[in-house]
Amino acid sequence: MKFKLSSTSLNNSLQTLAKVIASKNTLPILESFLFEVEGNVLTITGSDNENVMRTTLPLLESDGNGVIAIPSRTTLDVVKELPEQPLAFDIDTNTFNVEVTYQNGKYNFTAQDGTAYPKPEGVSEGTSVITIPANILNANITRSMFAIGSDDMRPVMNGLYFDLQTTGLSIVASDGHKLVRNVISTITGATPAAFILPKKPATLLKNVLPKDNSDVVIKFGTNSAEIIFAGGTLTCRLIEGRYPNYSSVIPESNPNQLTIDRLSLLGALRRVLPFASESTQLIRFKLEAGKLEISSEDIDFSTSAKEAVNCDYTGNNMSIGFKGGSMTDILNSLESDEVTIQLADPSRAGLILPSVQPESADVLMLLMPMLLND
């Protein structure tokens, strides 16, 4: 089997697929890329046995079809140091010897029989389908990743929840202390359906989805999903279980409202946070009419900080505590110039909303308060 292709195209594809391969694999062959040649198309697969990503590349030349498992580290080392040029692969399908010829030299190494590479499980019966523009899906995943949980005792929280209803598609992430809810009203389903996408495939999609409006088709069943996008396919196992009723924790009315420049608040938090307790990261928000003062204190090391920030606040005078790192994550994930923080009282969750909602989405973020020791 012989074929020739662009070194740059191959390198870009392998760098992406390498993120799928686990550092420790139960099957040694999963440390390899699967190369499948059919006609003038090369299909490359990377897998960790739970997540399988495929991409296709056009070949400059091809002589013979076949399948072979090529060691990932060797292949990455082969192509990443080469400038753009044609690479010629000559593979002996009997001995699995691989010879790669380039402009000024060649490489020789041994591969494995590709027929032993595990096949991905298909999507189960009762498949539901969501079609969504790539740029919108990418933006919503990127905006929500920081809120995904990591508690092994609550595995259903360790992924992105896709909730398809007749009124729209909600993409939700929460770790129990903070929550992100994105509602895309333009994408609806005749029948309600939902699935929980684990963090790893969500991260892979964030890195590979194009920033254009090309369609992404998500087919999902009870246990697995297949996500088809421009340039590739991702098949993954889903998290099984019932996601908590996220709507029940979102307050219907928080009468006290703070409107503030997002970057000004973010800068003040970054200056005050280093003086907070490292274990709690507690930041105090002291609110009065037209005034916000944020402060922190670490009693153990006798450090403290305080800063006033210009804002527009209407509501009752209040002091409320938030985890500084979580508030920083929320502000970083938003893009609007201003944010609105809606509060009820120091014991109830605060809502953080962008002053201008992003295109094709209604974004809401929630943060639980922390107890103040007054």
Side-chain angles (χ1 to χ4, degrees):
M1 180 173 64
K2 298 180 181 179
F3 58 89
K4 185 181 292 186
L5 75 168
S6 160
S7 62
T8 301
S9 297
L10 179 60
N11 182 49
N12 291 340
S13 296
L14 295 183
Q15 293 295 337
T16 299
L17 293 174
K19 296 180 174 67
V20 185
I21 299 175
S23 56
K24 295 181 180 180
N25 292 286
T26 53
L27 299 174
I29 198 170
L30 291 178
E31 296 178 3
S32 300
F33 295 117
L34 183 67
F35 279 35
E36 298 175 88
V37 176
E38 185 171 351
N40 287 318
V41 176
L42 170 65
T43 301
I44 310 175
T45 302
S47 173
D48 64 2
N49 217 24
E50 290 192 354
N51 305 285
V52 183
M53 185 177 286
R54 291 191 182 94
T55 188
T56 57
L57 292 175
L59 296 175
L60 303 174
E61 296 177 12
S62 176
D63 180 11
N65 298 334
V67 57
I68 191 165
I70 294 182
S72 59
R73 293 178 184 175
T74 302
T75 316
L76 288 167
D77 291 341
V78 164
V79 299
K80 71 180 181 182
E81 300 296 338
L82 293 174
E84 167 56 26
Q85 60 185 286
L87 291 183
F89 281 73
D90 187 350
I91 301 171
D92 188 325
T93 54
N94 293 317
T95 64
F96 307 118
N97 181 69
V98 180
E99 180 179 280
V100 182
T101 305
Y102 59 100
Q103 186 174 0
N104 297 313
K106 65 179 180 180
Y107 300 104
N108 280 283
F109 54 91
T110 302
Q112 297 181 66
D113 183 2
T115 59
Y117 203 88
K119 303 294 183 183
E121 296 180 7
V123 179
S124 58
E125 294 183 2
T127 300
S128 300
V129 180
I130 297 173
T131 302
I132 180 172
N135 55 350
I136 293 177
L137 179 58
N138 193 320
N140 282 276
I141 290 176
T142 302
R143 189 184 301 121
S144 308
M145 289 291 294
F146 77 93
I148 294 177
S150 57
D151 186 353
D152 292 338
M153 300 298 292
R154 294 185 296 176
V156 294
M157 309 284 279
N158 298 343
L160 283 179
Y161 183 54
F162 285 69
D163 186 14
L164 182 65
Q165 300 291 332
T166 56
T167 55
L169 171 66
S170 296
I171 301 177
V172 181
S174 177
D175 62 2
H177 301 285
K178 53 185 177 288
L179 177 144
V180 179
R181 186 200 65 186
N182 309 273
V183 179
I184 308 168
S185 58
T186 56
I187 299 173
T188 59
T191 304
F195 67 94
I196 306 172
L197 184 69
K199 187 172 185 178
K200 181 172 180 176
T203 303
L204 292 170
L205 287 174
K206 170 188 158 187
N207 293 330
V208 303
L209 286 177
K211 301 298 195 298
D212 57 27
N213 61 355
S214 59
D215 282 344
V216 177
V217 179
I218 305 174
K219 302 177 181 179
F220 61 96
T222 305
N223 304 315
S224 60
E226 181 181 52
I227 303 164
I228 305 166
F229 53 92
T233 302
L234 173 64
T235 304
C236 62
R237 291 183 187 171
L238 300 174
I239 297 175
E240 298 182 45
R242 183 181 295 275
Y243 202 82
N245 182 5
Y246 61 89
S247 297
S248 65
V249 302
I250 300 175
E252 293 184 2
S253 176
N254 277 5
N256 304 300
Q257 183 162 301
L258 164 69
T259 301
I260 191 168
D261 182 82
R262 180 178 66 87
L263 294 180
S264 296
L265 178 57
L266 185 58
L269 282 170
R270 287 172 174 166
R271 289 186 288 272
V272 170
L273 186 56
F275 297 89
S277 167
E278 187 174 346
S279 59
T280 65
Q281 297 187 352
L282 174 62
I283 300 290
R284 177 191 295 264
F285 281 49
K286 184 178 181 182
L287 294 153
E288 300 175 1
K291 181 180 178 183
L292 167 65
E293 180 184 273
I294 64 174
S295 60
S296 63
E297 183 179 23
D298 189 341
I299 297 176
D300 293 336
F301 292 93
S302 300
T303 62
S304 63
K306 182 185 298 184
E307 184 169 333
V309 187
N310 293 328
C311 69
D312 180 11
Y313 176 68
T314 55
N316 299 326
N317 292 355
M318 185 189 310
S319 288
I320 186 170
F322 290 113
K323 186 172 183 176
S326 296
M327 182 63 78
T328 299
D329 288 339
I330 288 175
L331 295 174
N332 275 325
S333 69
L334 295 172
E335 297 179 351
S336 62
D337 293 336
E338 290 186 332
V339 295
T340 298
I341 303 177
Q342 298 176 353
L343 304 169
D345 60 61
S347 64
R348 294 171 63 188
L351 300 180
I352 301 95
L353 308 171
S355 58
V356 178
Q357 290 287 354
E359 181 183 0
S360 303
D362 181 8
V363 178
L364 174 148
M365 304 204 177
L366 176 148
L367 186 59
M368 297 299 296
M370 299 180 69
L371 180 65
L372 293 173
N373 296 319
D374 290 325

